[in-house]
Amino acid sequence: MRYTQYFVPTVKETPADAEVVSHKLMLRAGMVRKVAAGIYNYLPLGLRSIRKVENIVREEMNRAGAIEILMPMVTPAELWQESRRWEQYGKELLRLKDRKDNEFCLGPTHEEVVTDIVRREVRSYRQMPLNLYQIQTKFRDEIRPRFGLMRGREFIMKDAYSFDVDEAGADAAYEKMYQAYRRIFARCGLKFRAVEADTGSIGGNWSHEFMVLADSGEDAIVSCSSCDYAANVEKAESRLVESAEHADPRPVEKVHTPGKKSIQEVSEYLGMPMTHTVKMLVCMADNVPVGVLLRGDHDLNEIKLKKVIGCDELEMASDEQIAKATGAPVGYLGPQGAAIRIIADLTISSMRNVVVGANETDYHLRNVNPGRDFIVTEFADIRNVAHGDGCPRCSEGALEMWRGIEVGHVFKLGMKYSKALNATFLDQDGKEQTVFMGCYGIGIGRTVAACIEQNHDDNGIIFPLPIAPFHCIVSAVNPKDVAVSSAAEDIYARLQAAGVEVLYDDRDERPGVKFKDADLIGIPLRLVVGAKNLVEGKVELKQRSGGDMELLSIDESVSRVSAMVKEALTL
Ligand code: 9G3
């Protein structure tokens, strides 16, 4: 493609409202332009990368035996009412009415629509295993879309759905998708980790997220330093923390702690490490107050607590709700004599002689012992794991904390949707059975953005070749010089003939502008054609990912670039 006939509106200045590097660079490189909050135009360079990721996804899904379909973006309310999700979702589900006042929504995902296909078309066990997928625009009306394509409202997703006769089949389908995802993200040139994840509201009981490691990632994940355990912190467990204190229980002491409300203040004031304190929080579970006990330095994991209680809504109680439920002042809460349900983190059970609130303003108690001074009937893992905790799977590893960008998520769905929509089949014995499902998503735009988060420097993007908009940029320095333009044209033609995707920068621009643009848009290979080197019949080859500049003859440059592209694209 000739730059002078293309459309690459690069900009020098960093846009004000872009917070993460991929958003900044995609705007500056002329890859996307915002139309409305969370809604983007894909400009030529952006679209080429998007299509590269889609094609890698498509190849690996097809290789895994999945079959491509395309479902509608606009989906009828009736299907969502059958699965009872029409009323389950709030404003995030963008609803609309047609001219006859029929209700629809813009599809945020397609479990209902695809299960409707299968319940109509699949009648026999012989038609499964079946995996249907699409690459399609989704809409989720996020409250705060941000970070460009990383958290848009309209976005392109590959969503796949597997259908099997039994759990074993569904497990096999899950494993096939898991392996396909590993190949997909490896081919995209990403450093990623598959982590055990919470299934959230979708239902089912088991899922993995594919996380691209990047400090700008919204998710916190942990991985073990010695085994392959890795999990989203929402779900991660750790080896039970035995408290250091094994002394005999000492007599309770009331201590004056004027104005010391936070664990930090109390432990400093009393000269006690936070590991010797117990904090009591109060949550409202479906509007019922529940007391929660955690070691002072641990953090509550609300997703784990919600699963333990089994409630729909879980919020931290307000100060007045706390006062009403416990009669004690906020900051001085203690479990002794509590009139509300108490759930304690597992760590509490082995603690001795701890500091807790005295349920009285400006007072705490020391040497309080669970079992003697307060009774806990419910112990559960309700804390966030912390960096350095012991691995729950192997005996010697420690958990390391990372930030990750979720680019893929695979779920075992069980029969949640097939039951709700009555998707059944006749088994070998002619008996009616319900299909087992799985669902598997990849954020296409988010994968491009995550790749840029992981591959950039101060000058711009450093695209891994497989998802770069072009393989090679040819920068002609002063194309008005006939020797330069004819050499550049010759290289351009020969590379294209060799199947290399070339962006030929034929602009009448200063060299500096061309080099800055080439670095910004991140094309992996750059050939510079300039009069000085041409005198010796040489051109410069530079790899955007670093390494020394090479001076090559025109023939060598064509064969070298062709070989590098071929090598980078071999699986
Ligand atoms: C909704 C809305 C938002 C949603 C969902 C439904 C997320 C919803 C979870 C999934 C699960 C998988 C298939 C591809 C992979 C992910 N946000 N989820 O179900 F109505 Cl408004 O989408 N679906």
Side-chain angles (χ1 to χ4, degrees), residues 80 85 89-90 92-94 108-111 138-141 157-161 199 201-202 409 411 417 439-442:
W80 293 81
R85 293 213 287 180
Y89 281 88
E92 195 185 356
L93 186 65
L94 185 61
T109 182
H110 282 72
E111 279 80 6
K138 295 278 186 289
F139 195 91
R140 293 178 184 177
D141 202 355
M157 183 201 278
K158 183 285 298 175
D159 45 324
Y161 304 86
T199 55
S201 60
I202 186 70
H409 200 157
F411 297 77
Y417 296 92
C439 64
Y440 317 90
I442 290 181

mmCIF file of all heavy atoms in Angstrom, residues 80 85 89-90 92-94 108-111 138-141 157-161 199 201-202 409 411 417 439-442, ligand 1:
data_model
loop_
_atom_site.group_PDB
_atom_site.id
_atom_site.type_symbol
_atom_site.label_atom_id
_atom_site.label_comp_id
_atom_site.label_asym_id
_atom_site.label_seq_id
_atom_site.Cartn_x
_atom_site.Cartn_y
_atom_site.Cartn_z
ATOM 1 N N TRP A 80 -34.567 -14.198 26.136
ATOM 2 C CA TRP A 80 -33.954 -13.780 27.404
ATOM 3 C C TRP A 80 -34.942 -13.952 28.554
ATOM 4 O O TRP A 80 -34.561 -14.103 29.711
ATOM 5 C CB TRP A 80 -33.489 -12.327 27.313
ATOM 6 C CG TRP A 80 -32.357 -12.155 26.353
ATOM 7 C CD1 TRP A 80 -32.415 -12.057 24.997
ATOM 8 C CD2 TRP A 80 -30.963 -12.101 26.695
ATOM 9 N NE1 TRP A 80 -31.149 -11.954 24.466
ATOM 10 C CE2 TRP A 80 -30.246 -11.962 25.486
ATOM 11 C CE3 TRP A 80 -30.255 -12.141 27.888
ATOM 12 C CZ2 TRP A 80 -28.855 -11.872 25.450
ATOM 13 C CZ3 TRP A 80 -28.865 -12.039 27.848
ATOM 14 C CH2 TRP A 80 -28.181 -11.909 26.637
ATOM 15 N N ARG A 85 -33.056 -14.123 32.131
ATOM 16 C CA ARG A 85 -32.006 -13.115 32.230
ATOM 17 C C ARG A 85 -32.516 -11.739 31.829
ATOM 18 O O ARG A 85 -31.835 -10.741 32.067
ATOM 19 C CB ARG A 85 -30.790 -13.502 31.389
ATOM 20 C CG ARG A 85 -30.065 -14.724 31.923
ATOM 21 C CD ARG A 85 -28.579 -14.647 31.685
ATOM 22 N NE ARG A 85 -28.217 -14.845 30.273
ATOM 23 C CZ ARG A 85 -26.949 -14.819 29.836
ATOM 24 N NH1 ARG A 85 -25.964 -14.575 30.681
ATOM 25 N NH2 ARG A 85 -26.669 -15.020 28.552
ATOM 26 N N TYR A 89 -30.657 -8.859 34.302
ATOM 27 C CA TYR A 89 -29.700 -7.792 33.966
ATOM 28 C C TYR A 89 -30.381 -6.432 33.973
ATOM 29 O O TYR A 89 -31.544 -6.320 33.604
ATOM 30 C CB TYR A 89 -29.027 -8.073 32.623
ATOM 31 C CG TYR A 89 -27.929 -9.104 32.774
ATOM 32 C CD1 TYR A 89 -28.206 -10.460 32.667
ATOM 33 C CD2 TYR A 89 -26.632 -8.737 33.115
ATOM 34 C CE1 TYR A 89 -27.221 -11.413 32.856
ATOM 35 C CE2 TYR A 89 -25.639 -9.680 33.317
ATOM 36 C CZ TYR A 89 -25.944 -11.015 33.183
ATOM 37 O OH TYR A 89 -24.968 -11.959 33.375
ATOM 38 N N GLY A 90 -29.619 -5.428 34.389
ATOM 39 C CA GLY A 90 -30.171 -4.072 34.470
ATOM 40 C C GLY A 90 -29.815 -3.262 33.245
ATOM 41 O O GLY A 90 -29.937 -3.733 32.115
ATOM 42 N N GLU A 92 -27.149 -2.553 31.904
ATOM 43 C CA GLU A 92 -26.041 -3.002 31.052
ATOM 44 C C GLU A 92 -26.580 -3.674 29.782
ATOM 45 O O GLU A 92 -25.929 -3.678 28.758
ATOM 46 C CB GLU A 92 -25.176 -4.000 31.841
ATOM 47 C CG GLU A 92 -23.825 -4.265 31.223
ATOM 48 C CD GLU A 92 -23.059 -5.360 31.968
ATOM 49 O OE1 GLU A 92 -23.558 -5.854 33.003
ATOM 50 O OE2 GLU A 92 -21.990 -5.737 31.478
ATOM 51 N N LEU A 93 -27.814 -4.187 29.889
ATOM 52 C CA LEU A 93 -28.449 -4.820 28.730
ATOM 53 C C LEU A 93 -29.214 -3.730 27.979
ATOM 54 O O LEU A 93 -30.205 -3.200 28.488
ATOM 55 C CB LEU A 93 -29.400 -5.922 29.217
ATOM 56 C CG LEU A 93 -30.061 -6.787 28.158
ATOM 57 C CD1 LEU A 93 -29.011 -7.608 27.415
ATOM 58 C CD2 LEU A 93 -31.099 -7.718 28.780
ATOM 59 N N LEU A 94 -28.706 -3.372 26.796
ATOM 60 C CA LEU A 94 -29.317 -2.255 26.069
ATOM 61 C C LEU A 94 -30.555 -2.761 25.324
ATOM 62 O O LEU A 94 -30.450 -3.562 24.408
ATOM 63 C CB LEU A 94 -28.323 -1.639 25.084
ATOM 64 C CG LEU A 94 -28.815 -0.378 24.362
ATOM 65 C CD1 LEU A 94 -29.132 0.738 25.351
ATOM 66 C CD2 LEU A 94 -27.804 0.096 23.349
ATOM 67 N N PRO A 108 -25.360 -8.881 24.271
ATOM 68 C CA PRO A 108 -24.110 -8.757 25.016
ATOM 69 C C PRO A 108 -23.343 -10.083 25.026
ATOM 70 O O PRO A 108 -22.159 -10.134 25.323
ATOM 71 C CB PRO A 108 -24.585 -8.425 26.419
ATOM 72 C CG PRO A 108 -25.922 -9.093 26.525
ATOM 73 C CD PRO A 108 -26.528 -9.114 25.149
ATOM 74 N N THR A 109 -24.082 -11.161 24.712
ATOM 75 C CA THR A 109 -23.567 -12.517 24.608
ATOM 76 C C THR A 109 -24.712 -13.342 24.027
ATOM 77 O O THR A 109 -25.806 -12.816 23.851
ATOM 78 C CB THR A 109 -23.122 -13.051 25.992
ATOM 79 O OG1 THR A 109 -22.587 -14.356 25.829
ATOM 80 C CG2 THR A 109 -24.300 -13.119 26.949
ATOM 81 N N HIS A 110 -24.453 -14.582 23.643
ATOM 82 C CA HIS A 110 -25.473 -15.278 22.845
ATOM 83 C C HIS A 110 -25.840 -16.685 23.328
ATOM 84 O O HIS A 110 -26.233 -17.524 22.509
ATOM 85 C CB HIS A 110 -25.010 -15.318 21.383
ATOM 86 C CG HIS A 110 -25.204 -14.017 20.666
ATOM 87 N ND1 HIS A 110 -24.426 -12.896 20.925
ATOM 88 C CD2 HIS A 110 -26.107 -13.620 19.733
ATOM 89 C CE1 HIS A 110 -24.835 -11.887 20.162
ATOM 90 N NE2 HIS A 110 -25.859 -12.287 19.435
ATOM 91 N N GLU A 111 -25.753 -16.933 24.629
ATOM 92 C CA GLU A 111 -26.124 -18.279 25.120
ATOM 93 C C GLU A 111 -27.553 -18.629 24.700
ATOM 94 O O GLU A 111 -27.819 -19.713 24.192
ATOM 95 C CB GLU A 111 -26.024 -18.347 26.655
ATOM 96 C CG GLU A 111 -24.635 -18.559 27.195
ATOM 97 C CD GLU A 111 -23.815 -17.282 27.234
ATOM 98 O OE1 GLU A 111 -24.364 -16.204 26.953
ATOM 99 O OE2 GLU A 111 -22.604 -17.349 27.487
ATOM 100 N N LYS A 138 -20.666 -7.163 19.875
ATOM 101 C CA LYS A 138 -21.462 -7.268 21.087
ATOM 102 C C LYS A 138 -21.693 -5.868 21.632
ATOM 103 O O LYS A 138 -20.929 -4.937 21.326
ATOM 104 C CB LYS A 138 -20.688 -8.064 22.149
ATOM 105 C CG LYS A 138 -20.426 -9.524 21.777
ATOM 106 C CD LYS A 138 -21.618 -10.362 22.072
ATOM 107 C CE LYS A 138 -21.371 -11.828 21.850
ATOM 108 N NZ LYS A 138 -21.233 -12.216 20.427
ATOM 109 N N PHE A 139 -22.738 -5.736 22.476
ATOM 110 C CA PHE A 139 -22.945 -4.437 23.131
ATOM 111 C C PHE A 139 -23.258 -4.671 24.596
ATOM 112 O O PHE A 139 -24.148 -5.449 24.925
ATOM 113 C CB PHE A 139 -24.089 -3.637 22.487
ATOM 114 C CG PHE A 139 -24.072 -2.190 22.900
ATOM 115 C CD1 PHE A 139 -23.385 -1.243 22.155
ATOM 116 C CD2 PHE A 139 -24.672 -1.775 24.093
ATOM 117 C CE1 PHE A 139 -23.334 0.089 22.554
ATOM 118 C CE2 PHE A 139 -24.607 -0.457 24.511
ATOM 119 C CZ PHE A 139 -23.949 0.485 23.741
ATOM 120 N N ARG A 140 -22.457 -4.032 25.468
ATOM 121 C CA ARG A 140 -22.744 -4.073 26.906
ATOM 122 C C ARG A 140 -22.652 -2.633 27.389
ATOM 123 O O ARG A 140 -21.609 -1.994 27.213
ATOM 124 C CB ARG A 140 -21.710 -4.935 27.654
ATOM 125 C CG ARG A 140 -21.819 -6.396 27.289
ATOM 126 C CD ARG A 140 -20.763 -7.257 27.977
ATOM 127 N NE ARG A 140 -20.862 -8.641 27.509
ATOM 128 C CZ ARG A 140 -20.026 -9.615 27.899
ATOM 129 N NH1 ARG A 140 -19.029 -9.344 28.742
ATOM 130 N NH2 ARG A 140 -20.160 -10.832 27.449
ATOM 131 N N ASP A 141 -23.742 -2.111 27.962
ATOM 132 C CA ASP A 141 -23.784 -0.696 28.306
ATOM 133 C C ASP A 141 -23.057 -0.458 29.627
ATOM 134 O O ASP A 141 -23.676 -0.198 30.645
ATOM 135 C CB ASP A 141 -25.241 -0.216 28.392
ATOM 136 C CG ASP A 141 -25.315 1.297 28.198
ATOM 137 O OD1 ASP A 141 -24.227 1.917 28.108
ATOM 138 O OD2 ASP A 141 -26.417 1.848 28.121
ATOM 139 N N MET A 157 -16.367 -9.777 19.643
ATOM 140 C CA MET A 157 -16.017 -10.947 20.441
ATOM 141 C C MET A 157 -16.108 -12.206 19.576
ATOM 142 O O MET A 157 -16.967 -12.288 18.689
ATOM 143 C CB MET A 157 -16.995 -11.091 21.620
ATOM 144 C CG MET A 157 -16.639 -12.258 22.549
ATOM 145 S SD MET A 157 -18.028 -12.826 23.553
ATOM 146 C CE MET A 157 -17.972 -11.633 24.892
ATOM 147 N N LYS A 158 -15.188 -13.147 19.826
ATOM 148 C CA LYS A 158 -15.413 -14.494 19.304
ATOM 149 C C LYS A 158 -16.086 -15.212 20.454
ATOM 150 O O LYS A 158 -15.515 -15.306 21.526
ATOM 151 C CB LYS A 158 -14.070 -15.162 18.980
ATOM 152 C CG LYS A 158 -14.136 -16.551 18.354
ATOM 153 C CD LYS A 158 -14.498 -17.656 19.304
ATOM 154 C CE LYS A 158 -13.527 -17.844 20.423
ATOM 155 N NZ LYS A 158 -14.033 -18.878 21.393
ATOM 156 N N ASP A 159 -17.316 -15.680 20.209
ATOM 157 C CA ASP A 159 -17.955 -16.457 21.257
ATOM 158 C C ASP A 159 -18.358 -17.817 20.691
ATOM 159 O O ASP A 159 -18.953 -17.888 19.626
ATOM 160 C CB ASP A 159 -19.147 -15.744 21.899
ATOM 161 C CG ASP A 159 -20.106 -15.073 20.924
ATOM 162 O OD1 ASP A 159 -19.641 -14.546 19.896
ATOM 163 O OD2 ASP A 159 -21.318 -15.076 21.207
ATOM 164 N N ALA A 160 -17.932 -18.849 21.432
ATOM 165 C CA ALA A 160 -18.192 -20.233 21.005
ATOM 166 C C ALA A 160 -19.009 -20.942 22.069
ATOM 167 O O ALA A 160 -18.933 -20.583 23.255
ATOM 168 C CB ALA A 160 -16.868 -20.967 20.808
ATOM 169 N N TYR A 161 -19.787 -21.949 21.606
ATOM 170 C CA TYR A 161 -20.656 -22.670 22.536
ATOM 171 C C TYR A 161 -20.566 -24.149 22.192
ATOM 172 O O TYR A 161 -20.721 -24.520 21.020
ATOM 173 C CB TYR A 161 -22.095 -22.166 22.395
ATOM 174 C CG TYR A 161 -22.188 -20.666 22.596
ATOM 175 C CD1 TYR A 161 -21.971 -19.781 21.529
ATOM 176 C CD2 TYR A 161 -22.416 -20.121 23.852
ATOM 177 C CE1 TYR A 161 -22.009 -18.414 21.707
ATOM 178 C CE2 TYR A 161 -22.449 -18.742 24.040
ATOM 179 C CZ TYR A 161 -22.243 -17.898 22.966
ATOM 180 O OH TYR A 161 -22.268 -16.530 23.164
ATOM 181 N N THR A 199 -16.884 -17.953 38.077
ATOM 182 C CA THR A 199 -17.759 -17.985 36.881
ATOM 183 C C THR A 199 -18.693 -16.771 36.839
ATOM 184 O O THR A 199 -19.369 -16.548 35.859
ATOM 185 C CB THR A 199 -18.650 -19.237 36.896
ATOM 186 O OG1 THR A 199 -19.354 -19.227 38.147
ATOM 187 C CG2 THR A 199 -17.825 -20.496 36.757
ATOM 188 N N SER A 201 -21.784 -14.325 37.007
ATOM 189 C CA SER A 201 -23.244 -14.483 36.942
ATOM 190 C C SER A 201 -23.664 -15.475 35.871
ATOM 191 O O SER A 201 -24.816 -15.835 35.767
ATOM 192 C CB SER A 201 -23.861 -13.122 36.580
ATOM 193 O OG SER A 201 -23.320 -12.737 35.308
ATOM 194 N N ILE A 202 -22.677 -15.924 35.041
ATOM 195 C CA ILE A 202 -23.091 -16.723 33.868
ATOM 196 C C ILE A 202 -23.632 -18.085 34.298
ATOM 197 O O ILE A 202 -24.371 -18.721 33.603
ATOM 198 C CB ILE A 202 -21.913 -16.895 32.887
ATOM 199 C CG1 ILE A 202 -22.373 -17.589 31.613
ATOM 200 C CG2 ILE A 202 -20.788 -17.683 33.520
ATOM 201 C CD1 ILE A 202 -23.257 -16.781 30.747
ATOM 202 N N HIS A 409 -11.964 -16.107 28.087
ATOM 203 C CA HIS A 409 -12.582 -16.701 29.266
ATOM 204 C C HIS A 409 -13.318 -17.944 28.786
ATOM 205 O O HIS A 409 -14.111 -17.851 27.837
ATOM 206 C CB HIS A 409 -13.563 -15.712 29.898
ATOM 207 C CG HIS A 409 -13.876 -16.045 31.329
ATOM 208 N ND1 HIS A 409 -14.343 -15.103 32.236
ATOM 209 C CD2 HIS A 409 -13.772 -17.192 32.025
ATOM 210 C CE1 HIS A 409 -14.512 -15.675 33.406
ATOM 211 N NE2 HIS A 409 -14.182 -16.937 33.321
ATOM 212 N N PHE A 411 -15.678 -21.332 29.966
ATOM 213 C CA PHE A 411 -16.583 -21.708 31.058
ATOM 214 C C PHE A 411 -17.164 -23.095 30.849
ATOM 215 O O PHE A 411 -17.550 -23.433 29.712
ATOM 216 C CB PHE A 411 -17.817 -20.792 31.082
ATOM 217 C CG PHE A 411 -17.577 -19.355 31.351
ATOM 218 C CD1 PHE A 411 -17.077 -18.526 30.365
ATOM 219 C CD2 PHE A 411 -17.869 -18.806 32.593
ATOM 220 C CE1 PHE A 411 -16.877 -17.174 30.602
ATOM 221 C CE2 PHE A 411 -17.673 -17.447 32.839
ATOM 222 C CZ PHE A 411 -17.174 -16.640 31.842
ATOM 223 N N TYR A 417 -28.486 -23.311 30.635
ATOM 224 C CA TYR A 417 -29.265 -22.765 29.507
ATOM 225 C C TYR A 417 -30.057 -23.852 28.785
ATOM 226 O O TYR A 417 -31.167 -23.636 28.331
ATOM 227 C CB TYR A 417 -28.347 -21.997 28.554
ATOM 228 C CG TYR A 417 -27.761 -20.800 29.250
ATOM 229 C CD1 TYR A 417 -26.540 -20.885 29.909
ATOM 230 C CD2 TYR A 417 -28.478 -19.617 29.365
ATOM 231 C CE1 TYR A 417 -26.042 -19.814 30.615
ATOM 232 C CE2 TYR A 417 -27.977 -18.530 30.073
ATOM 233 C CZ TYR A 417 -26.772 -18.639 30.697
ATOM 234 O OH TYR A 417 -26.275 -17.585 31.432
ATOM 235 N N CYS A 439 -19.098 -22.509 27.242
ATOM 236 C CA CYS A 439 -19.018 -21.315 26.391
ATOM 237 C C CYS A 439 -17.635 -20.695 26.526
ATOM 238 O O CYS A 439 -16.974 -20.847 27.572
ATOM 239 C CB CYS A 439 -20.111 -20.310 26.720
ATOM 240 S SG CYS A 439 -20.016 -19.630 28.368
ATOM 241 N N TYR A 440 -17.189 -20.041 25.467
ATOM 242 C CA TYR A 440 -15.773 -19.680 25.324
ATOM 243 C C TYR A 440 -15.666 -18.338 24.590
ATOM 244 O O TYR A 440 -16.086 -18.245 23.443
ATOM 245 C CB TYR A 440 -15.055 -20.764 24.519
ATOM 246 C CG TYR A 440 -15.471 -22.181 24.933
ATOM 247 C CD1 TYR A 440 -16.553 -22.828 24.324
ATOM 248 C CD2 TYR A 440 -14.821 -22.843 25.979
ATOM 249 C CE1 TYR A 440 -16.962 -24.094 24.730
ATOM 250 C CE2 TYR A 440 -15.232 -24.109 26.385
ATOM 251 C CZ TYR A 440 -16.300 -24.727 25.754
ATOM 252 O OH TYR A 440 -16.722 -25.986 26.159
ATOM 253 N N GLY A 441 -15.119 -17.320 25.276
ATOM 254 C CA GLY A 441 -15.065 -16.000 24.637
ATOM 255 C C GLY A 441 -13.646 -15.480 24.487
ATOM 256 O O GLY A 441 -12.765 -15.806 25.291
ATOM 257 N N ILE A 442 -13.450 -14.681 23.439
ATOM 258 C CA ILE A 442 -12.188 -13.933 23.264
ATOM 259 C C ILE A 442 -12.560 -12.525 22.851
ATOM 260 O O ILE A 442 -13.362 -12.341 21.917
ATOM 261 C CB ILE A 442 -11.274 -14.570 22.188
ATOM 262 C CG1 ILE A 442 -10.722 -15.903 22.679
ATOM 263 C CG2 ILE A 442 -10.127 -13.614 21.819
ATOM 264 C CD1 ILE A 442 -9.796 -16.602 21.692
HETATM 265 C C1 9G3 B 1 -25.688 -9.804 29.849
HETATM 266 C C2 9G3 B 1 -24.969 -8.608 29.999
HETATM 267 C C3 9G3 B 1 -23.627 -8.613 30.289
HETATM 268 C C4 9G3 B 1 -22.974 -9.839 30.431
HETATM 269 C C5 9G3 B 1 -23.685 -11.033 30.283
HETATM 270 C C6 9G3 B 1 -25.051 -11.019 29.979
HETATM 271 C C7 9G3 B 1 -20.995 -11.037 30.836
HETATM 272 C C8 9G3 B 1 -22.974 -12.290 30.422
HETATM 273 C C9 9G3 B 1 -20.884 -13.461 30.858
HETATM 274 C C10 9G3 B 1 -20.626 -14.038 29.505
HETATM 275 C C11 9G3 B 1 -20.159 -15.440 29.523
HETATM 276 C C12 9G3 B 1 -19.647 -15.927 28.217
HETATM 277 C C13 9G3 B 1 -20.114 -16.424 25.912
HETATM 278 C C14 9G3 B 1 -18.735 -15.994 25.513
HETATM 279 C C15 9G3 B 1 -17.790 -15.997 26.674
HETATM 280 C C16 9G3 B 1 -18.335 -15.268 27.864
HETATM 281 N N1 9G3 B 1 -21.609 -9.874 30.716
HETATM 282 N N2 9G3 B 1 -21.646 -12.218 30.703
HETATM 283 O O1 9G3 B 1 -23.536 -13.395 30.301
HETATM 284 F F1 9G3 B 1 -26.994 -9.745 29.539
HETATM 285 CL CL1 9G3 B 1 -25.798 -7.120 29.786
HETATM 286 O O2 9G3 B 1 -20.801 -13.419 28.509
HETATM 287 N N3 9G3 B 1 -20.569 -15.752 27.133
#
